[in-house]
Amino acid sequence: ELCAEWGLSAPDAHGRLARIFDAARRRRRLHRPSPREAEVMVLVGCRGLSHKEAARAMNVKASVVADYLRTVRAKYIASHPDAPPTIPPSTAAAIWARELGFD
């Protein structure tokens, strides 16, 4: 019905929809947490470890954990437009980890 209304052939409509879905997949992939970011999300967000404890568990410096959490927060905000821009990184990590089933 839409094809007739918009003057499109079925293959043309399917092609346009495929391009839209491909663009959405690429955008979601950009904002997906990396394996290390996911690890930080679990350690800090789900298990409640401090930056220092998470750093010890990951064998990195506490500042690296903080960097990962800032990146997680930025990706969370980018993929959740309704999220408040002032959400703390640890809170964003905890919420997103639960959403993704990491807990």
Side-chain angles (χ1 to χ4, degrees), residues 15-96:
R16 289 180 185 206
L17 284 173
R19 286 192 300 277
I20 290 168
F21 289 128
D22 286 342
R25 270 192 290 281
R26 284 191 304 273
R27 189 172 41 257
R28 278 193 305 274
R29 200 174 306 127
L30 275 176
H31 300 301
R32 187 177 7 193
S34 72
R36 286 298 259 186
E37 290 165 348
E39 185 177 2
V40 169
M41 290 165 66
V42 169
L43 293 173
V44 175
C46 297
R47 295 190 187 158
L49 298 183
S50 68
H51 286 54
K52 193 179 283 189
E53 293 167 329
R56 239 180 283 132
M58 295 175 66
N59 200 28
V60 296
K61 294 181 180 182
S63 62
V64 173
V65 171
D67 289 341
Y68 278 126
L69 284 171
R70 279 192 291 275
T71 304
V72 164
R73 177 184 170 273
K75 287 182 178 183
Y76 179 79
I77 290 171
S79 62
H80 295 76
D82 57 331
T86 57
I87 189 169
S90 297
T91 303
I95 293 169
W96 206 12

